[in-house]
Amino acid sequence: MPELPEVETIKNELSKTILNARIKKADVFCNRFRMPIPNDLPERIENTSIKNIRRIAKYIIMDLDNNLSLIWHLGMSGRIKICPIVQKPEKHDHVVITTDKGIVIFNDARRFGLLIYSPTSELKNTEILQKIGFDPFDEKLNAASFQQKIKNKSCAIKIALLDQSIINGIGNIYASEALYGARISPLRKASSLTLSECQKLIESVRDVLQKAINAGGSTLKDYRRPDGSSGDFQNKHCVYNKTGKPCPDCCCNLAQTGGIKKIVLGGRSTFYCQTHQK
DNA sequence: AGTGAGGCCTGAAAGC
DNA sequence: TGCTTTCAGGCCTCAC
């Protein structure tokens, strides 16, 4: 579900409410996720304080004062809710962490998410975090370094954008939106992008992600901010889920072109404007 | 080594 | 109305 802007939004709101909170109790009601929640997770985190909350790719990291870090991923349908006081459990509330600053609830219908812990010093070496590529806002990501990473990729550029080992944090929505912003067709072979197209694409990725973060993320189905409210960026999508509609810069005859086109690439819905994206 | 298909899960929406 | 099918924002594994 959530892509980088949604995870960033959740991270910011968690920081506002439970930074430096003391964990009093952790209850795991279901541990069957992409990887099982370790059985000893409650005893490892109870009576610790949350010293830092940050984001790596689509993962939320909570550094505790006992040199352990929680690694949290929301998969497709995961939500983190923050409640000031205990409330009636909802369906798919799988983990409840009670702190002195509020109650944090991990709710995930499809259970594609993940909650594990690792020693803070070894975080970067964990299996899931070590294969992660550039953060989109990392200054080391530029046209040359990006082109270097995709120069041998024969797959479509849309597929390459979803590959977290190249640039992390981009999911299916923002891949379509970023390609539209750069006026590049999702079908182009990744290796065929020129240096200036790589430059445009990186700028577009940053632009789309930043605007989405500013809007509190995109809410389609499951995503909610921790206080239960919706994000706002779904109202600003240019192509995603806009099959048959004109794109924002539309200058074409809709009767002829059919407007924004939906195709399937790598099994995922992909949206683009055939007129503006080459 | 790189790629595409399939699988993990559940729920909502569409189709009949 | 109610049943069945399809699709979904992610990511891993397996067969080729």
Side-chain angles (χ1 to χ4, degrees):
Chain A
M1 172 257 301
E3 307 181 31
L4 184 148
E6 291 74 32
V7 178
E8 182 73 13
T9 301
I10 293 167
K11 185 266 290 178
N12 289 338
E13 300 192 17
L14 286 170
S15 296
K16 268 190 258 168
T17 46
I18 57 157
L19 189 60
N20 295 318
R22 188 141 188 94
I23 296 173
K24 298 200 280 196
K25 196 166 185 309
D27 292 297
V28 178
F29 301 109
C30 170
N31 70 357
R32 290 171 293 124
F33 286 83
R34 193 171 100 212
M35 294 165 76
I37 297 177
N39 286 331
D40 64 349
L41 184 128
E43 63 190 76
R44 293 292 198 129
I45 70 170
E46 282 172 0
N47 301 310
T48 67
S49 292
I50 301 166
K51 298 314 288 178
N52 190 24
I53 303 175
R54 55 201 167 107
R55 179 188 62 74
I56 300 178
K58 296 177 192 172
Y59 294 88
I60 289 171
I61 310 296
M62 286 187 189
D63 299 318
L64 308 175
D65 67 356
N66 64 348
N67 298 318
L68 288 184
S69 296
L70 286 176
I71 306 173
W72 220 319
H73 192 279
L74 300 175
M76 292 269 243
S77 56
R79 291 173 56 189
I80 295 180
K81 302 185 282 184
I82 308 173
C83 312
I85 51 165
V86 182
Q87 57 170 218
K88 200 172 154 221
E90 291 180 307
K91 203 170 180 188
H92 309 303
D93 282 354
H94 300 309
V95 180
V96 175
I97 297 176
T98 306
T99 79
D100 59 358
K101 292 191 173 186
I103 297 162
V104 181
I105 299 168
F106 183 24
N107 179 293
D108 187 358
R110 292 170 73 180
R111 300 208 307 271
F112 287 177
L114 178 79
L115 176 59
I116 56 173
Y117 65 79
S118 152
T120 305
S121 57
E122 289 167 36
L123 212 49
K124 290 258 154 92
N125 300 323
T126 59
E127 206 182 328
I128 43 177
L129 292 179
Q130 68 177 357
K131 26 186 174 176
I132 275 175
F134 288 115
D135 186 275
F137 297 106
D138 185 341
E139 60 191 24
K140 291 195 204 78
L141 173 64
N142 55 43
S145 60
F146 180 57
Q147 193 179 41
Q148 177 67 24
K149 277 234 186 189
I150 61 171
K151 69 174 188 193
N152 294 322
K153 293 272 174 197
S154 60
C155 63
I157 184 62
K158 158 80 182 337
I159 311 252
L161 280 182
L162 290 177
D163 183 341
Q164 303 297 303
S165 70
I166 300 176
I167 302 179
N168 72 60
I170 304 170
N172 203 36
I173 296 178
Y174 298 114
S176 282
E177 293 295 319
L179 284 164
Y180 174 76
R183 301 296 184 259
I184 296 168
S185 165
L187 293 160
R188 284 274 301 281
K189 233 184 184 189
S191 57
S192 77
L193 265 64
T194 64
L195 196 61
S196 81
E197 285 174 324
C198 289
Q199 181 62 37
K200 272 200 287 183
L201 185 51
I202 291 165
E203 285 169 14
S204 179
V205 163
R206 288 176 174 149
D207 183 57
V208 165
L209 294 178
Q210 189 59 57
K211 284 180 177 153
I213 292 169
N214 295 345
S218 300
T219 296
L220 293 189
K221 284 186 192 148
D222 309 304
Y223 170 70
R224 286 288 183 282
R225 296 163 66 148
D227 64 2
S229 66
S230 296
D232 191 40
F233 195 70
Q234 67 279 7
N235 301 318
K236 301 189 173 72
H237 292 168
C238 295
V239 292
Y240 187 82
N241 225 357
K242 304 265 183 195
T243 312
K245 305 224 169 88
C247 75
D249 295 327
C250 195
C251 57
C252 48
N253 181 343
L254 275 196
Q256 265 177 18
T257 65
I260 289 163
K261 198 168 178 203
K262 174 178 174 175
I263 56 173
V264 175
L265 276 180
R268 315 296 301 278
S269 299
T270 304
F271 302 86
Y272 74 111
C273 169
Q274 289 173 283
T275 309
H276 284 101
Q277 294 176 253
K278 298 295 177 194

